[in-house]
Structures are given as structure tokens and as C-alpha cells.
Amino acid sequence: GVKFLQDAKKGKAPKMAGTVVVMGSGHLAFDSARTALRLGASEAVILYGRGKEAFPAEEEELKDLKAEGGRIEYNCVPAEIIKKDSKVKGIKCLKTAAQGIDDTGRKRTGVIEGSDYTINCSAVIASVGQKPDSGALKSEKGIRIGVLDNVLVDPVSLETGLEGVFAAGDLVTAGATVIEAIAAGQKAAVAIHRRSEERRVGKEGRSGWAPYQ
């Protein structure tokens, strides 16, 4: 996102055409989407994992985006960039929905199983400001890495695909607010405590793992 805007300012950004998808939210995503439209894209779509009520933007910004040909795709998360002959052809997304309240009192959003769909596009721009450095984890069996180099976790427990290993904050969201990172850390701590208790109970006579409630 940042490099794309820098290149556009210097006149070095490539010409755009068709639909351009922007992954992220906030000012950087808006600037990237509107810049793509000015470079020739017919449509710019910003992907956002929560509902409209949670989107961090002023009404005026939304109106300006719409006026230039952009829109927000709410309640969806990117899963896979589709390429053919080394060219971007689309992006596979998953629908999300509110799933009650988590252990920290915040509304929980989770992926809807079997809800995958594809948005046809000619380019994908990652506009999250910064991204996690997950390179050291890519060789770990069981830990899945998303298209934003973020670690994919269970939306309820925040446990990775590697049993007993949890992740939270920007490593999972690829960039959000400090408050969200703190809340995710608290949620992960609760889940880790539950897992420790389940282990302790198991050793004291109960076989296997106790289920999450």
C-alpha cells in the first residue's frame, strides 16, 4: 500500500484496469483505492472483515470513495489470491458473521464455513500499513500463514494449527488498533489458562482434553 502510493506520486505506478481489490482499512486503504481508480481502474473494492458499523471511517470518506467508483465489501476476509500465467485473476474470500461475545466482552467475528466466493479482479493491493514478520514460522508444520503474512488461528481460542501454540494481535490481524491487540492478548491469555487447567484436570484422572465451552 505505502509503496504503491509512493510509486503513484512519482509517476512510476502501473496503469490500472478492471477491478482492483484492496486488503485493509483506514486511511491507507482509502488512499490506495482512490489512487487505483485515478490510474484507470473501473472499480476498487476494499475488503473488511467486520460489519459496516465497525468500519473505521467517516461518512464523508465513504461518500468520496463511492463517488469515484469504490466500495466496501463488508464481512469478508481474503483467503487466496488467484493467479493464471503469473497474472492476478481474482481473490478468494470467506464470509464472516458475528458469533456472540468473547471472553473479554467484545463482539466476536468468525468465518462462516463453506462461504467461500471469488471476486474477479486484475490487481490486489495490501494496504495494512505494515505486515507481520512471520518468515520464521512458515517452516513450522501446522501453522498456517495467510495472504497478508499473518498467522491463521481459531477465531474462538486463538490457537494456531499447532497444538498448544496461540497467536494474537498484529501477527493475526496484520495490523489493527492497539486496543484490539490488547483485547486479543487478553482473550489468548484466557484460552491458554483454560488449556492449562484442562491439562491439569486430565493428569488428575480425567482422560483426554476437556472441551471448550
Side-chain angles (χ1 to χ4, degrees), residues 157-174:
S157 68
L158 296 185
E159 186 173 18
T160 67
L162 190 59
E163 185 178 341
V165 177
F166 298 76
D170 287 356
L171 185 62
V172 173
T173 63

Side-chain angles (χ1 to χ4, degrees), residues 15-18 35-43:
K15 291 293 182 181
M16 297 289 174
T35 298
L37 289 163
R38 293 167 190 174
L39 287 172
S42 59
E43 180 185 40

